[in-house]
Amino acid sequence: MHGTEMVEWITGHGLTAYADAVASMEARAAAIAAGTEPEAVWLVEHPPLYTAGTSARAGDLLDGGRFPVFATRRGGQYTYHGPGQRVVYVMLDLNRRGRDVRRFVAGLESWVIDALGCFGLTALRREGRVGVWVPRPDRPPLPDGGLRDDKIAAVGVRLRRWISLHGLSVNVEPDLSHYDGIVPCGIAGHGVTSLVDLGYPVTMADLDAALRDTFPGRFGP
């Protein structure tokens, strides 16, 4: 592969240190911009940690001493990464794919929804709430009477020279109690879930295969 003719898929092994991942991702994005490396999708797992996006509010970090906290230049607020969660770093060239950030984020959300649908799980995008959500009519309603959703995937991106960095995370089987140290993505009231929590016995390899199978439908081969 050379240039931007194909998308390279890379799967990490073990737990990848967050700072190392960011350095590698930024180096790859620079190479994509220079035309010396192809676009890439990098699948990793991290040790338990919190990241703060450019819109993070200090009050949403409820237990800053629980895990390391990393400031990051992606959009969004606080989120959690840890074992059992697939983090998908998406390094694509929007100079070729269309310089439309909203459409790109919507494409990432729809891609996850397509992948989850491979297992029979219906997930949704919600207006005004970035990420992928699962309706939970079995849970108590919100104080305003609205139905509760649980978040199963988070999306946060950054663009540099119209090359995308960061991407999304999908909960396969993380320790959901680890989210207690933050207000996830600054959204109170709704919860967080995972494939296994919802009763879907999906492995990381299963999800990886579904993501790869459904990627062309949203972003091409």
Side-chain angles (χ1 to χ4, degrees):
M1 289 178 292
H2 181 71
T4 56
E5 294 180 1
M6 296 182 68
V7 176
E8 182 180 6
W9 286 73
I10 307 163
T11 303
H13 300 286
L15 300 180
T16 302
Y18 186 75
D20 293 345
V22 171
S24 296
M25 177 172 48
E26 291 186 345
R28 183 58 173 259
I32 294 169
T36 59
E37 293 284 350
E39 298 173 302
V41 176
W42 186 19
L43 308 170
V44 304
E45 281 182 271
H46 289 306
L49 59 94
Y50 298 130
T51 66
T54 55
S55 301
R57 298 185 294 256
D60 288 343
L61 181 60
L62 306 178
D63 185 359
R66 187 169 190 177
F67 299 124
V69 180
F70 294 88
T72 179
R73 287 179 282 181
R74 63 159 174 80
Q77 303 187 45
Y78 280 103
T79 194
Y80 166 77
H81 294 317
Q85 179 195 74
R86 176 54 88 205
V87 178
V88 186
Y89 290 127
V90 183
M91 290 154 278
L92 299 180
D93 185 355
L94 300 195
N95 292 293
R96 297 192 308 118
R97 296 173 175 273
R99 295 182 175 186
D100 188 328
V101 180
R102 288 180 180 272
R103 189 179 76 174
F104 178 58
V105 170
L108 293 174
E109 293 168 334
S110 296
W111 172 33
V112 173
I113 290 168
D114 293 345
L116 296 177
C118 294
F119 310 111
L121 174 60
T122 299
L124 305 167
R125 298 175 59 227
R126 291 297 197 194
E127 188 69 29
R129 282 195 261 131
V130 176
V132 176
W133 303 83
V134 178
R136 300 302 301 268
D138 55 315
R139 300 290 181 90
L142 300 175
D144 63 3
L147 295 179
R148 171 174 153 165
D149 294 330
D150 280 356
K151 195 169 197 174
I152 194 167
V155 175
V157 300
R158 175 186 164 215
L159 298 176
R160 189 176 67 191
R161 298 172 62 186
W162 290 100
I163 308 299
S164 65
L165 298 99
H166 301 277
L168 56 95
S169 59
V170 184
N171 289 340
V172 178
E173 193 179 9
D175 185 337
L176 295 177
S177 72
H178 289 180
Y179 281 91
D180 294 346
I182 57 172
V183 178
C185 301
I187 300 171
H190 297 281
V192 181
T193 191
S194 70
L195 280 156
V196 171
D197 180 55
L198 292 168
Y200 294 83
V202 175
T203 68
M204 199 70 73
D206 294 334
L207 177 64
D208 291 350
L211 288 168
R212 188 157 188 167
D213 288 346
T214 54
F215 180 86
R218 297 293 174 178
F219 298 104

